Amino acid sequence: MPTRRTFLKLGAGSAVLLAGFGIASRFVGRNAIDDRREVLRALIPAVLEGALPTAGAQRSAGIETALAGVEATIAGLPPAMQEELQALFLALAAAPSRLLLAGLAKPWAQTSVVEVAAVLQGWRMHRLTLLQGAYHAVHKLILGAAYADEARWADIGYPGPPRL
């Protein structure tokens, strides 16, 4: 049975590894905003599968709306959390760390929803807390931002906050 000390060591090691990937990605000429958007455009359809329109233009608009919501959510987070997410998205966008963390040799834009869903499921069940944390962060960011959008409330049967 893991002890608290082992858990803390694993968490600290994971944070150092993630930070290292993020720093390394910065030195190879990556653009943090473009990288984040590329990764999120692949992750959003996998997380919101079934909640997005299936038609081409409507689906793209739904993904872009969810992306805008995620970016607004990230902008409202404390700076330390924003930096951690920036490191995560930079690491996921750079080819060597994407291969190591997600098992994807091709860029996110070339992956299918099924492939991305498999990556997310792998992170969710992974023994490393780093990847479990990445899954939970991405999942909560996307779902929270998507369902905070007032336009989606009718689709999910939410009448809105109580009127006082």
Side-chain angles (χ1 to χ4, degrees):
M1 176 164 199
T3 64
R4 181 173 179 241
R5 182 178 301 235
T6 305
F7 179 75
L8 291 173
K9 283 181 185 178
L10 185 59
S14 299
V16 168
L17 181 66
L18 183 58
F21 283 135
I23 291 167
S25 296
R26 290 180 190 156
F27 289 118
V28 294
R30 309 238 25 126
N31 180 310
I33 294 171
D34 291 342
D35 286 344
R36 179 177 69 215
R37 289 178 181 159
E38 176 190 0
V39 173
L40 284 170
R41 281 189 181 106
L43 294 173
I44 287 169
V47 173
L48 296 179
E49 185 64 31
L52 288 172
T54 55
Q58 291 176 329
R59 184 172 179 85
S60 295
I63 292 169
E64 290 304 312
T65 300
L67 175 62
V70 170
E71 290 194 334
T73 301
I74 291 172
L77 294 173
M81 290 180 81
Q82 288 182 24
E83 288 177 18
E84 287 179 14
L85 286 170
Q86 180 180 0
L88 172 65
F89 289 122
L90 283 169
L92 290 174
S97 50
R98 180 183 62 241
L99 183 60
L100 182 65
L101 295 172
L104 295 174
K106 56 187 171 183
W108 288 98
Q110 296 174 8
T111 59
S112 70
V113 173
V114 172
E115 291 170 314
V116 175
V119 168
L120 289 172
Q121 182 64 15
W123 288 355
R124 182 174 171 245
M125 305 306 286
H126 207 278
R127 63 183 176 87
L128 293 178
T129 57
L130 169 74
L131 296 179
Q132 289 178 9
Y135 168 80
H136 290 294
V138 165
H139 197 257
K140 287 178 181 179
L141 270 174
I142 294 171
L143 284 179
Y147 291 113
D149 181 9
E150 217 173 304
R152 296 181 135 299
W153 292 353
D155 296 339
I156 61 173
Y158 177 59
R163 303 210 189 276
L164 300 176

